[in-house]
Amino acid sequence: LGNGGSTLHALRCLEEQYGDQWTSFTVLLIHSGGCSQRLPNASALGKIFTAVPLGEPVYQMLELKLAMYLDFPRHMRPGVLITCSDDIELYSTGVTETITFDKPGFTALAHPSDLAVGTTHGVFVLDPSGFSGKGGLEYGSCYRFLHKPDLETMQQSGAVCVRGDHPQLSSPGDRGDSGTASECVYTDSVFYIDHSTAQQLLLFYKQLGTLCCEIDAYGDFLQALGPGATPDYTKNTSNVSKEDSSLVAVRQQLYSLLQGTALNVIVLNNSQFYHIGTTQEYLFHFTAESQLRFELDLQPVAFSIFPDTAKTLDRLSIIQSILEPGCVIGPGSVIEYSRIGPEVSVGKGSIVSGSHINFNVDIPSNCFLSSVSVKITDRVEYVTMVFGVGDNLKQSVKLLSDIHSLQFFGASLPECLDLWSLEASDQLFSSEDTHLGLWTARIFPVCSTLSESVRMSLNMLNSVQHKSAFKLRGFQLLSVEEMLTYKDVEDMLKFRKQIYDEICLQRQKEKS
């Protein structure tokens, strides 16, 4: 459905459950996280339940979101506040300034960002007549919304501001030095839809009947707004993960529906927008000297058993995990919801999630390791996905002859398949259509215990690193896509609960 389709679906559920009552509701709607291909340790349970290295017991993104938006509802008319689950907005406003959502149409928060950030987010072209750039908070209107624009588009459309004590909008066509320190654009995060606009969208959804394509709440709703909106974007499908013939038509209908609707902007000049949607961002914000880590006081060890003899406390993040004396964790690594035995060493910049490792092993640097409980028949079994932190799980090719362009931990996929005695065929991939990629490659062995599944996947990785054979024939193999189809969330939560109970017990012993 995409986050736009799921927004419409949620509105429908609200109406079905509450009837006319929902006209008086203020609703917080959080997109909980799709496939999460760029941060796969959040795939099975959803990005909104990503643990943050903070609090006893640890907070999840959900708690953080609720804390950040705590002040909003009392300054909000009935309507829906829409937000993603992998971003954090921190801001400060004057004592007398309040963020109020009370205007008809859409109202969005805007944050000053570098031009490079603008290319991967939504960018507001502000109406210069109502914008002074003064103060921490300013209400303005948006002339046009750009979705993931390139530098040239931002410059030409007048989205670029010159930073100073008072940011000034540069006029369209000003060819500044692109990307100098003084230039910024205002990027999107959270937005609010007043009730009557939400009602219009719901009516549109009901008339549509069945939605057959992926709609984006940011790109497809916001690009239709403001006096400068044009329907050109409806035909651009470059940012769509699954292209569908009906997409252009549905976008055009949405454009006609929303055209002329106001896009109000609340400019937060003292604000910072943080995104934690990729493995790189996740590692950076949780382990490096990042601004976010400093502002939220993120901890190197959060609600974990971490013995004095475990090596290095420098630049790492241990979240609700049990580490045994003797293990070594390299700098810049994140360990969450895992048990790490005494003979385990983890290299630099790696992510280990939901795993039990009780054997002697060296996990290489820049390794991504995440275990999933699955139920294919009636029995709970385990699969562990392993990749390089930088491997592109979104990349796919259409033909078998092109799979050499897919990289697994620095080696081409055909090279890996040879080492694992697997054949490159259509059966190797789980997708029905022509999406052949690391996401759909059936390469991960199903095992009867959690630690055995970790061992097998690390053997695969070891064989690629040392160019030595490791036969995967004879195992039942799943792709990441299939792991999510067969996931057993209950069992994964049970494992987390066991760790939680053990940590609580240890805390009580220490107290007594």
Side-chain angles (χ1 to χ4, degrees):
L1 280 172
N3 56 31
S6 57
T7 298
L8 299 174
H9 183 69
L11 297 182
R12 185 169 192 165
C13 293
L14 278 172
E15 191 189 53
E16 281 171 3
Q17 188 152 351
Y18 296 102
D20 290 344
Q21 256 186 301
W22 90 284
T23 56
S24 62
F25 288 178
T26 48
V27 178
L28 172 61
L29 199 155
I30 308 177
H31 299 132
S32 62
C35 293
S36 192
Q37 287 172 303
R38 296 181 301 166
L39 188 65
N41 52 317
S43 296
L45 285 113
K47 282 183 186 174
I48 192 62
F49 304 112
T50 301
V52 182
L54 196 63
E56 302 242 334
V58 291
Y59 296 130
Q60 295 176 322
M61 284 296 283
L62 179 59
E63 278 93 2
L64 218 50
K65 289 265 157 190
L66 295 174
M68 285 187 301
Y69 306 149
L70 199 60
D71 294 333
F72 290 173
R74 57 182 160 181
H75 304 293
M76 193 186 276
R77 283 207 163 146
V80 184
L81 186 74
I82 293 177
T83 178
C84 286
S85 51
D86 58 6
D87 57 57
I88 295 172
E89 300 85 27
L90 301 179
Y91 58 90
S92 71
T93 55
V95 183
T96 56
E97 295 175 320
T98 53
I99 292 178
T100 307
F101 299 98
D102 61 353
K103 293 187 172 68
F106 286 68
T107 303
L109 298 186
H111 312 271
S113 300
D114 292 336
L115 269 55
V117 174
T119 59
T120 56
H121 289 272
V123 171
F124 301 104
V125 180
L126 298 173
D127 180 354
S129 61
F131 176 73
S132 71
K134 292 178 184 159
L137 180 148
E138 194 176 354
Y139 289 84
S141 66
C142 180
Y143 174 72
R144 185 178 165 205
F145 177 83
L146 310 170
H147 188 54
K148 300 185 179 177
D150 56 29
L151 289 169
E152 198 181 351
T153 308
M154 290 190 272
Q155 295 278 8
Q156 287 174 350
S157 57
V160 179
C161 301
V162 182
R163 283 192 220 215
D165 296 334
H166 308 316
Q168 292 297 316
L169 288 168
S170 61
S171 54
D174 273 8
R175 303 305 302 213
D177 214 8
S178 79
T180 53
S182 63
E183 291 187 323
C184 73
V185 286
Y186 283 97
T187 53
D188 65 341
S189 64
V190 182
F191 68 89
Y192 160 87
I193 310 177
D194 78 313
H195 186 77
S196 68
T197 309
Q199 193 81 46
Q200 264 181 297
L201 282 166
L202 177 58
L203 194 62
F204 163 79
Y205 183 55
K206 289 199 248 180
Q207 285 166 349
L208 206 60
T210 313
L211 187 60
C212 307
C213 57
E214 216 177 277
I215 297 180
D216 180 19
Y218 292 80
D220 296 340
F221 292 174
L222 301 182
Q223 280 186 107
L225 310 174
T230 66
D232 301 348
Y233 73 90
T234 57
K235 296 187 180 69
N236 175 6
T237 53
S238 59
N239 283 315
V240 181
S241 58
K242 246 189 181 158
E243 219 174 298
D244 189 277
S245 52
S246 62
L247 178 64
V248 173
V250 172
R251 276 183 175 174
Q252 283 168 343
Q253 288 168 278
L254 269 169
Y255 176 75
S256 317
L257 174 81
L258 293 172
Q259 201 190 357
T261 305
L263 176 51
N264 307 292
V265 178
I266 302 174
V267 176
L268 296 170
N269 277 313
N270 300 329
S271 70
Q272 191 67 48
F273 171 92
Y274 298 100
H275 190 249
I276 309 185
T278 69
T279 50
Q280 270 88 354
E281 289 169 338
Y282 177 81
L283 287 167
F284 172 71
H285 288 306
F286 284 7
T287 70
E289 291 302 310
S290 77
Q291 189 68 20
L292 177 70
R293 193 176 183 184
F294 167 74
E295 286 180 358
L296 290 180
D297 194 26
L298 301 180
Q299 298 297 307
V301 177
F303 195 64
S304 293
I305 296 176
F306 189 92
D308 302 338
T309 51
K311 304 285 193 306
T312 86
L313 243 184
D314 177 40
R315 289 187 37 231
L316 48 83
S317 185
I318 312 289
I319 306 168
Q320 196 169 319
S321 293
I322 296 172
L323 281 70
E324 292 189 43
C327 69
V328 181
I329 311 295
S333 288
V334 177
I335 312 286
E336 61 158 12
Y337 300 119
S338 293
R339 291 174 179 273
I340 308 289
E343 303 173 301
V344 177
S345 84
V346 178
K348 295 178 194 166
S350 290
I351 296 171
V352 177
S353 174
S355 298
H356 181 198
I357 314 175
N358 58 359
F359 47 92
N360 184 344
V361 68
D362 294 335
I363 296 172
S365 294
N366 308 314
C367 172
F368 176 88
L369 183 85
S370 178
S371 303
V372 179
S373 308
V374 293
K375 224 177 196 171
I376 300 171
T377 47
D378 287 340
R379 193 165 86 246
V380 178
E381 294 175 291
Y382 302 90
V383 196
T384 298
M385 59 178 101
V386 65
F387 294 105
V389 161
D391 287 354
N392 184 354
L393 273 60
K394 272 194 152 176
Q395 186 192 354
S396 65
V397 295
K398 291 187 170 157
L399 302 170
L400 273 176
S401 52
D402 292 335
I403 64 168
H404 57 84
S405 66
L406 303 170
Q407 293 280 310
F408 175 92
F409 219 92
S412 75
L413 188 59
E415 219 179 310
C416 301
L417 297 175
D418 280 348
L419 293 167
W420 302 329
S421 308
L422 294 178
E423 214 146 297
S425 67
D426 289 333
Q427 282 67 53
L428 182 74
F429 296 91
S430 57
S431 61
E432 292 157 27
D433 46 20
T434 50
H435 281 270
L436 314 178
L438 294 183
W439 188 255
T440 56
R442 293 186 168 121
I443 53 176
F444 299 110
V446 180
C447 299
S448 56
T449 68
L450 183 52
S451 65
E452 193 54 23
S453 91
V454 176
R455 187 199 295 268
M456 287 307 142
S457 293
L458 286 172
N459 283 345
M460 288 169 61
L461 183 57
N462 187 49
S463 95
V464 171
Q465 278 198 298
H466 297 101
K467 305 279 181 269
S468 57
F470 174 67
K471 285 193 167 56
L472 278 178
R473 279 210 190 124
F475 281 101
Q476 180 179 6
L477 302 173
L478 294 185
S479 66
V480 182
E481 182 180 58
E482 289 173 318
M483 287 184 207
L484 300 183
T485 308
Y486 297 122
K487 67 181 177 183
D488 185 346
V489 169
E490 209 171 312
D491 189 71
M492 293 173 78
L493 293 177
K494 194 169 96 182
F495 179 65
R496 290 185 179 190
K497 179 77 165 68
Q498 285 167 352
I499 293 175
Y500 172 87
D501 290 342
E502 212 168 304
I503 293 168
C504 289
L505 201 66
Q506 172 91 356
R507 294 284 149 102
Q508 278 175 327
K509 276 185 195 164
E510 282 167 6
K511 273 184 190 162
S512 60

mmCIF file of all heavy atoms in Angstrom, residues 24 109 116 145 195 206 235 345 359 407 434 455 463 503:
data_model
loop_
_atom_site.group_PDB
_atom_site.id
_atom_site.type_symbol
_atom_site.label_atom_id
_atom_site.label_comp_id
_atom_site.label_asym_id
_atom_site.label_seq_id
_atom_site.Cartn_x
_atom_site.Cartn_y
_atom_site.Cartn_z
ATOM 1 N N SER A 24 -14.362 14.408 15.904
ATOM 2 C CA SER A 24 -13.850 15.236 17.007
ATOM 3 C C SER A 24 -12.470 14.768 17.487
ATOM 4 O O SER A 24 -11.929 15.305 18.445
ATOM 5 C CB SER A 24 -14.826 15.174 18.180
ATOM 6 O OG SER A 24 -14.920 13.842 18.645
ATOM 7 N N LEU A 109 5.705 20.792 9.592
ATOM 8 C CA LEU A 109 6.874 21.363 10.266
ATOM 9 C C LEU A 109 8.023 21.413 9.263
ATOM 10 O O LEU A 109 8.190 20.499 8.462
ATOM 11 C CB LEU A 109 7.301 20.501 11.460
ATOM 12 C CG LEU A 109 6.306 20.335 12.614
ATOM 13 C CD1 LEU A 109 6.969 19.579 13.768
ATOM 14 C CD2 LEU A 109 5.786 21.669 13.108
ATOM 15 N N ALA A 116 22.435 18.991 0.726
ATOM 16 C CA ALA A 116 22.581 17.542 0.481
ATOM 17 C C ALA A 116 21.433 16.770 1.131
ATOM 18 O O ALA A 116 20.913 15.803 0.563
ATOM 19 C CB ALA A 116 23.914 17.059 1.036
ATOM 20 N N PHE A 145 5.843 22.186 -3.072
ATOM 21 C CA PHE A 145 6.597 21.170 -2.337
ATOM 22 C C PHE A 145 7.372 20.307 -3.331
ATOM 23 O O PHE A 145 6.817 19.821 -4.317
ATOM 24 C CB PHE A 145 5.616 20.290 -1.541
ATOM 25 C CG PHE A 145 6.266 19.148 -0.796
ATOM 26 C CD1 PHE A 145 6.842 19.342 0.453
ATOM 27 C CD2 PHE A 145 6.301 17.862 -1.346
ATOM 28 C CE1 PHE A 145 7.434 18.291 1.145
ATOM 29 C CE2 PHE A 145 6.895 16.799 -0.667
ATOM 30 C CZ PHE A 145 7.459 17.021 0.579
ATOM 31 N N HIS A 195 -9.442 17.937 9.856
ATOM 32 C CA HIS A 195 -10.423 16.862 9.714
ATOM 33 C C HIS A 195 -11.156 16.870 8.379
ATOM 34 O O HIS A 195 -11.369 15.818 7.774
ATOM 35 C CB HIS A 195 -11.442 16.869 10.854
ATOM 36 C CG HIS A 195 -12.350 15.684 10.781
ATOM 37 N ND1 HIS A 195 -11.938 14.420 11.187
ATOM 38 C CD2 HIS A 195 -13.578 15.518 10.233
ATOM 39 C CE1 HIS A 195 -12.893 13.558 10.918
ATOM 40 N NE2 HIS A 195 -13.902 14.190 10.352
ATOM 41 N N LYS A 206 -12.674 5.526 -0.581
ATOM 42 C CA LYS A 206 -13.860 4.657 -0.691
ATOM 43 C C LYS A 206 -14.342 4.564 -2.141
ATOM 44 O O LYS A 206 -14.737 3.504 -2.609
ATOM 45 C CB LYS A 206 -14.978 5.206 0.197
ATOM 46 C CG LYS A 206 -14.675 5.011 1.688
ATOM 47 C CD LYS A 206 -15.926 5.112 2.504
ATOM 48 C CE LYS A 206 -16.101 6.200 3.378
ATOM 49 N NZ LYS A 206 -17.095 6.526 4.211
ATOM 50 N N LYS A 235 3.861 11.672 -13.258
ATOM 51 C CA LYS A 235 4.419 10.714 -14.237
ATOM 52 C C LYS A 235 5.822 10.237 -13.863
ATOM 53 O O LYS A 235 6.367 9.343 -14.490
ATOM 54 C CB LYS A 235 4.457 11.357 -15.630
ATOM 55 C CG LYS A 235 3.090 11.688 -16.177
ATOM 56 C CD LYS A 235 3.182 12.156 -17.633
ATOM 57 C CE LYS A 235 1.838 12.494 -18.212
ATOM 58 N NZ LYS A 235 1.216 13.706 -17.620
ATOM 59 N N SER A 345 34.284 -12.660 19.520
ATOM 60 C CA SER A 345 34.773 -11.294 19.315
ATOM 61 C C SER A 345 34.015 -10.702 18.129
ATOM 62 O O SER A 345 33.764 -11.385 17.137
ATOM 63 C CB SER A 345 36.279 -11.283 19.069
ATOM 64 O OG SER A 345 36.544 -11.539 17.716
ATOM 65 N N PHE A 359 29.385 -19.950 20.884
ATOM 66 C CA PHE A 359 30.515 -20.766 20.404
ATOM 67 C C PHE A 359 31.676 -19.833 20.084
ATOM 68 O O PHE A 359 31.511 -18.612 20.069
ATOM 69 C CB PHE A 359 30.108 -21.579 19.165
ATOM 70 C CG PHE A 359 29.372 -20.766 18.136
ATOM 71 C CD1 PHE A 359 30.040 -20.133 17.091
ATOM 72 C CD2 PHE A 359 27.976 -20.628 18.201
ATOM 73 C CE1 PHE A 359 29.354 -19.371 16.151
ATOM 74 C CE2 PHE A 359 27.288 -19.860 17.248
ATOM 75 C CZ PHE A 359 27.983 -19.236 16.231
ATOM 76 N N GLN A 407 26.252 -7.429 -4.954
ATOM 77 C CA GLN A 407 27.419 -7.630 -4.091
ATOM 78 C C GLN A 407 27.014 -8.120 -2.704
ATOM 79 O O GLN A 407 26.176 -7.510 -2.056
ATOM 80 C CB GLN A 407 28.175 -6.304 -3.930
ATOM 81 C CG GLN A 407 28.828 -5.804 -5.206
ATOM 82 C CD GLN A 407 30.151 -6.499 -5.486
ATOM 83 O OE1 GLN A 407 31.023 -6.596 -4.634
ATOM 84 N NE2 GLN A 407 30.301 -6.998 -6.713
ATOM 85 N N THR A 434 10.198 -9.980 -11.488
ATOM 86 C CA THR A 434 11.615 -10.058 -11.856
ATOM 87 C C THR A 434 12.499 -9.252 -10.907
ATOM 88 O O THR A 434 13.409 -8.568 -11.335
ATOM 89 C CB THR A 434 11.789 -9.530 -13.292
ATOM 90 O OG1 THR A 434 11.124 -8.252 -13.348
ATOM 91 C CG2 THR A 434 11.194 -10.453 -14.301
ATOM 92 N N ARG A 455 25.440 -19.814 13.734
ATOM 93 C CA ARG A 455 26.672 -20.507 13.344
ATOM 94 C C ARG A 455 26.699 -20.772 11.831
ATOM 95 O O ARG A 455 27.699 -20.510 11.152
ATOM 96 C CB ARG A 455 26.779 -21.835 14.101
ATOM 97 C CG ARG A 455 28.123 -22.547 13.891
ATOM 98 C CD ARG A 455 28.032 -24.020 14.252
ATOM 99 N NE ARG A 455 27.782 -24.251 15.653
ATOM 100 C CZ ARG A 455 28.751 -24.440 16.573
ATOM 101 N NH1 ARG A 455 30.018 -24.415 16.211
ATOM 102 N NH2 ARG A 455 28.442 -24.676 17.827
ATOM 103 N N SER A 463 33.075 -18.437 4.510
ATOM 104 C CA SER A 463 33.472 -19.067 3.249
ATOM 105 C C SER A 463 33.692 -18.004 2.162
ATOM 106 O O SER A 463 34.581 -18.127 1.323
ATOM 107 C CB SER A 463 32.443 -20.123 2.822
ATOM 108 O OG SER A 463 31.501 -19.606 1.939
ATOM 109 N N ILE A 503 18.158 -9.823 33.249
ATOM 110 C CA ILE A 503 18.788 -8.548 33.622
ATOM 111 C C ILE A 503 18.147 -8.009 34.913
ATOM 112 O O ILE A 503 18.844 -7.555 35.821
ATOM 113 C CB ILE A 503 18.683 -7.521 32.467
ATOM 114 C CG1 ILE A 503 19.524 -7.984 31.267
ATOM 115 C CG2 ILE A 503 19.145 -6.130 32.919
ATOM 116 C CD1 ILE A 503 19.274 -7.215 29.985
#
